[in-house]
Amino acid sequence: QVQLVESGGGSVQSGGSLRLSCAASGYTYNSNCMGWFRQAPGKQREGVASIDNNGRTKYADSVKGRFTISQDNAKNTLYLQMNSLKPEDTAMYYCAAATGQCQYWALLQGTYNYWGQGTQVTVSS
């Protein structure tokens, strides 16, 4: 079992930055991919960024060049550095872990079997 707890959300102005953290516990060594997803009111949950156990990353086109996913294995912590934030980035952000195959499905929510409860990010125009 893997437990995930997000933190670091908040309210910022357009152009600002935030760093989200996800503290993981349990059998984290069985996680093949870790990812960040987001969901805005009235919209479907979408994959934002992912990282696998080889350090390979994937990003949604909408955040490329602005967001960076990273992990500190010693601390069992996943991060999402978000720069140049835009109002359209406003959403609840979720951390997720996948224990199965994820090479081709790293930004699809069905790939992930463990989820945090989310942290809110609000970007004002």
Side-chain angles (χ1 to χ4, degrees), residues 55-108:
R56 293 175 293 194
T57 60
K58 292 181 181 292
Y59 296 93
D61 289 341
S62 60
V63 307
K64 286 181 179 177
R66 300 189 297 119
F67 291 10
T68 303
I69 188 171
S70 62
Q71 60 187 358
D72 185 335
N73 290 327
K75 295 183 177 181
N76 289 321
T77 302
L78 180 74
Y79 302 98
L80 184 67
Q81 179 66 47
M82 305 185 295
N83 298 324
S84 301
L85 284 162
K86 305 175 180 179
E88 49 263 47
D89 295 318
T90 295
M92 184 72 73
Y93 282 72
Y94 299 90
C95 174
T99 59
Q101 296 183 41
C102 56
Q103 181 66 45
Y104 302 106
W105 306 276
L107 294 180
L108 300 179

Coordinates of all heavy atoms in Angstrom, one line a residue, residues 55-108:
G55 N 13.9 8.1 -14.0 CA 14.0 9.5 -14.1 C 13.5 10.2 -15.3 O 13.6 11.4 -15.5
R56 N 12.9 9.4 -16.2 CA 12.3 9.9 -17.4 C 11.0 10.6 -17.1 O 10.2 10.1 -16.3 CB 12.1 8.8 -18.4 CG 13.4 8.2 -18.9 CD 13.1 7.0 -19.8 NE 12.6 5.8 -19.1 CZ 12.5 4.6 -19.5 NH1 13.0 4.3 -20.7 NH2 12.0 3.7 -18.8
T57 N 10.8 11.8 -17.7 CA 9.7 12.6 -17.5 C 8.8 12.8 -18.7 O 9.2 12.7 -19.8 CB 10.1 14.0 -17.0 OG1 10.9 14.6 -17.9 CG2 10.9 13.8 -15.7
K58 N 7.5 13.1 -18.4 CA 6.6 13.5 -19.5 C 5.8 14.7 -19.0 O 5.6 14.8 -17.8 CB 5.6 12.3 -19.8 CG 6.2 11.1 -20.4 CD 5.2 10.0 -20.7 CE 5.8 8.8 -21.3 NZ 6.3 9.1 -22.7
Y59 N 5.4 15.5 -19.9 CA 4.6 16.7 -19.5 C 3.5 16.9 -20.5 O 3.6 16.6 -21.7 CB 5.5 18.0 -19.5 CG 6.6 18.0 -18.5 CD1 7.9 17.5 -18.8 CD2 6.4 18.4 -17.2 CE1 8.9 17.5 -17.9 CE2 7.4 18.4 -16.3 CZ 8.7 18.0 -16.6 OH 9.7 18.0 -15.7
A60 N 2.4 17.4 -20.0 CA 1.4 17.9 -20.9 C 1.9 19.1 -21.7 O 2.7 19.9 -21.2 CB 0.1 18.3 -20.0
D61 N 1.4 19.2 -22.9 CA 1.8 20.3 -23.7 C 1.6 21.6 -23.1 O 2.3 22.6 -23.3 CB 1.1 20.2 -25.1 CG 1.6 19.0 -26.0 OD1 2.7 18.5 -25.7 OD2 0.9 18.7 -26.9
S62 N 0.5 21.7 -22.4 CA 0.1 23.0 -21.8 C 1.1 23.5 -20.7 O 1.0 24.7 -20.3 CB -1.3 22.9 -21.2 OG -1.4 21.9 -20.2
V63 N 1.9 22.6 -20.2 CA 2.8 23.0 -19.1 C 4.3 22.9 -19.4 O 5.2 23.3 -18.6 CB 2.5 22.3 -17.8 CG1 1.1 22.4 -17.4 CG2 3.0 20.8 -17.9
K64 N 4.6 22.4 -20.6 CA 6.0 22.2 -21.0 C 6.7 23.6 -21.0 O 6.2 24.6 -21.5 CB 6.1 21.6 -22.4 CG 5.8 20.1 -22.5 CD 5.9 19.6 -23.9 CE 5.6 18.1 -23.9 NZ 5.7 17.6 -25.3
G65 N 7.9 23.5 -20.4 CA 8.7 24.7 -20.3 C 8.4 25.6 -19.1 O 9.2 26.5 -18.8
R66 N 7.3 25.3 -18.4 CA 6.9 26.0 -17.2 C 7.0 25.2 -15.9 O 7.3 25.7 -14.9 CB 5.5 26.6 -17.4 CG 5.4 27.5 -18.5 CD 4.0 28.2 -18.5 NE 2.9 27.3 -18.7 CZ 2.0 27.1 -17.8 NH1 2.0 27.8 -16.6 NH2 1.0 26.3 -18.0
F67 N 6.6 23.9 -16.0 CA 6.6 23.0 -14.9 C 7.7 22.0 -14.9 O 8.1 21.6 -16.0 CB 5.3 22.2 -14.8 CG 4.0 23.0 -14.5 CD1 4.1 24.4 -14.5 CD2 2.9 22.4 -14.3 CE1 2.9 25.1 -14.3 CE2 1.7 23.1 -14.0 CZ 1.7 24.5 -14.0
T68 N 8.2 21.6 -13.8 CA 9.3 20.6 -13.7 C 8.9 19.6 -12.6 O 8.7 20.0 -11.4 CB 10.6 21.3 -13.4 OG1 11.0 22.2 -14.4 CG2 11.7 20.2 -13.3
I69 N 8.9 18.4 -12.9 CA 8.7 17.3 -11.9 C 10.0 16.7 -11.5 O 10.9 16.6 -12.3 CB 7.7 16.2 -12.5 CG1 7.3 15.2 -11.4 CG2 8.4 15.5 -13.7 CD1 6.2 14.3 -11.8
S70 N 10.1 16.4 -10.2 CA 11.4 15.8 -9.7 C 11.0 15.0 -8.5 O 9.9 15.1 -7.9 CB 12.4 16.9 -9.4 OG 11.9 17.8 -8.4
Q71 N 12.0 14.2 -8.0 CA 11.7 13.4 -6.8 C 13.0 13.3 -6.0 O 14.1 13.3 -6.6 CB 11.2 12.1 -7.2 CG 12.1 11.2 -8.1 CD 11.5 9.9 -8.5 OE1 10.3 9.6 -8.2 NE2 12.2 9.2 -9.4
D72 N 12.8 13.2 -4.7 CA 13.9 13.0 -3.8 C 13.7 11.6 -3.2 O 12.8 11.5 -2.3 CB 14.0 14.1 -2.7 CG 15.2 13.9 -1.8 OD1 15.7 12.8 -1.6 OD2 15.6 14.9 -1.2
N73 N 14.4 10.6 -3.7 CA 14.1 9.2 -3.3 C 14.4 9.0 -1.8 O 13.8 8.2 -1.1 CB 14.9 8.3 -4.1 CG 14.3 8.2 -5.5 OD1 13.1 8.3 -5.8 ND2 15.2 7.9 -6.5
A74 N 15.5 9.7 -1.3 CA 15.8 9.6 0.1 C 14.7 10.0 1.0 O 14.6 9.5 2.1 CB 17.1 10.3 0.4
K75 N 14.0 11.0 0.6 CA 12.9 11.6 1.4 C 11.5 11.0 1.0 O 10.5 11.4 1.6 CB 12.9 13.1 1.3 CG 14.1 13.8 1.9 CD 13.9 15.3 1.8 CE 15.1 16.0 2.5 NZ 15.0 17.5 2.4
N76 N 11.5 10.2 -0.1 CA 10.3 9.7 -0.6 C 9.3 10.8 -0.9 O 8.1 10.7 -0.5 CB 9.6 8.7 0.4 CG 10.4 7.4 0.4 OD1 10.9 6.9 -0.6 ND2 10.5 6.8 1.6
T77 N 9.8 11.8 -1.6 CA 9.0 13.0 -1.8 C 9.0 13.3 -3.3 O 10.1 13.3 -3.9 CB 9.5 14.2 -1.0 OG1 9.4 13.9 0.4 CG2 8.6 15.4 -1.3
L78 N 7.9 13.6 -3.9 CA 7.7 14.1 -5.2 C 7.5 15.6 -5.3 O 6.7 16.1 -4.4 CB 6.6 13.3 -5.9 CG 6.3 13.6 -7.4 CD1 7.3 13.0 -8.3 CD2 4.9 13.1 -7.7
Y79 N 8.0 16.3 -6.2 CA 7.8 17.7 -6.3 C 7.3 18.1 -7.7 O 7.5 17.4 -8.7 CB 9.1 18.5 -6.1 CG 9.8 18.2 -4.8 CD1 10.8 17.2 -4.7 CD2 9.4 18.8 -3.6 CE1 11.4 17.0 -3.5 CE2 10.0 18.6 -2.4 CZ 11.0 17.6 -2.3 OH 11.6 17.4 -1.1
L80 N 6.6 19.2 -7.7 CA 6.2 19.9 -9.0 C 6.5 21.3 -8.8 O 5.8 22.0 -8.1 CB 4.7 19.6 -9.3 CG 4.3 20.2 -10.7 CD1 5.0 19.4 -11.8 CD2 2.8 20.1 -10.8
Q81 N 7.5 21.8 -9.5 CA 7.9 23.2 -9.5 C 7.1 23.8 -10.7 O 7.2 23.5 -11.8 CB 9.4 23.4 -9.8 CG 9.8 24.9 -9.8 CD 9.6 25.6 -8.5 OE1 10.0 25.1 -7.5 NE2 9.0 26.8 -8.6
M82 N 6.3 24.8 -10.3 CA 5.4 25.5 -11.3 C 5.8 26.9 -11.4 O 5.7 27.7 -10.4 CB 3.9 25.4 -10.9 CG 3.5 23.9 -10.6 SD 1.7 23.8 -10.3 CE 1.6 24.7 -8.7
N83 N 6.3 27.3 -12.6 CA 6.7 28.7 -12.8 C 5.7 29.3 -13.9 O 5.1 28.6 -14.6 CB 8.1 28.8 -13.3 CG 9.1 28.2 -12.3 OD1 8.9 28.4 -11.1 ND2 10.2 27.6 -12.7
S84 N 5.8 30.6 -14.0 CA 5.0 31.3 -15.0 C 3.5 30.9 -15.0 O 3.0 30.6 -16.0 CB 5.6 31.2 -16.4 OG 6.9 31.6 -16.4
L85 N 3.0 30.8 -13.8 CA 1.6 30.3 -13.6 C 0.6 31.2 -14.4 O 0.7 32.4 -14.4 CB 1.3 30.2 -12.2 CG 1.9 29.0 -11.5 CD1 1.9 29.1 -10.0 CD2 1.2 27.7 -11.9
K86 N -0.4 30.6 -14.9 CA -1.5 31.2 -15.6 C -2.8 30.9 -15.0 O -2.9 29.9 -14.3 CB -1.5 30.7 -17.1 CG -0.2 30.9 -17.8 CD -0.3 30.2 -19.2 CE 1.0 30.4 -20.0 NZ 0.9 29.7 -21.3
P87 N -3.8 31.7 -15.2 CA -5.1 31.5 -14.6 C -5.7 30.1 -15.0 O -6.3 29.4 -14.2 CB -6.0 32.6 -15.2 CG -5.1 33.7 -15.4 CD -3.8 33.1 -15.8
E88 N -5.3 29.6 -16.2 CA -5.8 28.3 -16.6 C -5.1 27.2 -15.9 O -5.5 26.0 -16.1 CB -5.6 28.1 -18.1 CG -4.3 28.5 -18.7 CD -4.2 29.9 -19.2 OE1 -4.7 30.9 -18.5 OE2 -3.7 30.1 -20.3
D89 N -4.1 27.4 -15.1 CA -3.5 26.4 -14.2 C -4.3 26.2 -13.0 O -4.0 25.3 -12.2 CB -2.1 26.8 -13.9 CG -1.2 26.8 -15.1 OD1 -1.3 25.9 -15.9 OD2 -0.4 27.8 -15.2
T90 N -5.3 27.0 -12.7 CA -6.1 26.9 -11.5 C -6.8 25.6 -11.5 O -7.5 25.2 -12.4 CB -7.1 28.0 -11.4 OG1 -6.5 29.3 -11.3 CG2 -8.1 27.8 -10.2
A91 N -6.6 24.8 -10.4 CA -7.2 23.5 -10.3 C -6.8 22.8 -9.0 O -6.0 23.3 -8.3 CB -6.7 22.6 -11.5
M92 N -7.5 21.7 -8.7 CA -7.0 20.9 -7.6 C -5.9 20.0 -8.2 O -6.2 19.3 -9.2 CB -8.2 20.1 -7.1 CG -7.8 19.2 -5.9 SD -7.5 20.2 -4.4 CE -9.2 20.6 -4.0
Y93 N -4.8 19.9 -7.6 CA -3.7 19.1 -8.0 C -3.5 17.9 -7.2 O -3.5 17.9 -6.0 CB -2.4 19.9 -8.0 CG -2.3 20.9 -9.2 CD1 -3.1 22.0 -9.2 CD2 -1.4 20.6 -10.2 CE1 -3.0 22.9 -10.3 CE2 -1.3 21.5 -11.3 CZ -2.1 22.6 -11.3 OH -2.0 23.5 -12.4
Y94 N -3.4 16.7 -7.9 CA -3.3 15.4 -7.2 C -2.0 14.8 -7.5 O -1.5 14.8 -8.7 CB -4.4 14.5 -7.6 CG -5.8 15.0 -7.3 CD1 -6.5 15.8 -8.2 CD2 -6.4 14.7 -6.1 CE1 -7.8 16.3 -8.0 CE2 -7.7 15.2 -5.9 CZ -8.4 16.0 -6.8 OH -9.6 16.4 -6.5
C95 N -1.4 14.1 -6.5 CA -0.3 13.3 -6.7 C -0.8 11.8 -6.8 O -1.8 11.4 -6.2 CB 0.6 13.4 -5.4 SG 2.0 12.3 -5.3
A96 N -0.1 11.1 -7.7 CA -0.5 9.7 -7.9 C 0.7 8.8 -8.1 O 1.8 9.2 -8.5 CB -1.4 9.6 -9.1
A97 N 0.5 7.5 -7.8 CA 1.6 6.5 -7.9 C 1.0 5.3 -8.7 O -0.1 4.9 -8.5 CB 2.1 6.0 -6.6
A98 N 1.8 4.8 -9.6 CA 1.5 3.6 -10.4 C 2.4 2.5 -10.1 O 3.6 2.7 -10.2 CB 1.5 4.0 -11.9
T99 N 1.9 1.3 -9.8 CA 2.7 0.1 -9.6 C 2.7 -0.8 -10.8 O 3.5 -1.8 -10.7 CB 2.1 -0.6 -8.3 OG1 0.8 -1.0 -8.6 CG2 2.2 0.3 -7.1
G100 N 1.9 -0.6 -11.8 CA 1.9 -1.4 -13.0 C 2.7 -0.7 -14.1 O 3.5 0.2 -13.9
Q101 N 2.4 -1.2 -15.3 CA 3.1 -0.6 -16.5 C 2.7 0.8 -16.7 O 1.5 1.1 -16.5 CB 2.8 -1.5 -17.7 CG 3.3 -2.9 -17.7 CD 3.0 -3.6 -19.0 OE1 3.1 -3.0 -20.1 NE2 2.6 -4.9 -18.9
C102 N 3.6 1.7 -17.0 CA 3.3 3.1 -17.2 C 4.1 3.7 -18.3 O 4.0 5.0 -18.5 CB 3.5 3.8 -15.9 SG 5.1 3.7 -15.2
Q103 N 4.8 3.0 -19.1 CA 5.7 3.6 -20.1 C 4.9 4.4 -21.1 O 5.4 5.5 -21.5 CB 6.5 2.5 -20.8 CG 7.4 3.0 -21.9 CD 8.6 3.8 -21.3 OE1 9.2 3.4 -20.3 NE2 8.9 4.9 -21.9
Y104 N 3.8 3.9 -21.5 CA 3.0 4.6 -22.6 C 1.8 5.3 -22.1 O 1.1 5.9 -22.8 CB 2.7 3.6 -23.7 CG 3.8 2.9 -24.3 CD1 4.1 1.6 -24.0 CD2 4.6 3.6 -25.2 CE1 5.2 0.9 -24.6 CE2 5.7 3.0 -25.8 CZ 6.0 1.6 -25.5 OH 7.1 1.0 -26.1
W105 N 1.5 5.1 -20.8 CA 0.3 5.6 -20.2 C 0.5 6.5 -19.0 O -0.3 6.6 -18.1 CB -0.6 4.5 -19.8 CG -0.9 3.5 -21.0 CD1 -1.8 3.7 -22.0 CD2 -0.2 2.3 -21.2 NE1 -1.7 2.6 -22.8 CE2 -0.7 1.7 -22.4 CE3 0.9 1.6 -20.5 CZ2 -0.3 0.5 -22.9 CZ3 1.3 0.4 -21.1 CH2 0.8 -0.1 -22.2
A106 N 1.7 7.2 -19.0 CA 2.1 7.9 -17.8 C 1.2 9.1 -17.4 O 1.3 9.6 -16.3 CB 3.6 8.3 -17.9
L107 N 0.5 9.7 -18.4 CA -0.3 10.8 -18.2 C -1.8 10.5 -18.2 O -2.6 11.4 -18.3 CB 0.0 11.9 -19.2 CG 1.4 12.6 -19.0 CD1 1.6 13.6 -20.1 CD2 1.6 13.1 -17.6
L108 N -2.1 9.2 -18.1 CA -3.5 8.8 -18.1 C -3.8 8.3 -16.7 O -3.1 7.5 -16.1 CB -3.7 7.6 -19.1 CG -3.4 7.9 -20.5 CD1 -3.7 6.7 -21.4 CD2 -4.3 9.1 -21.0

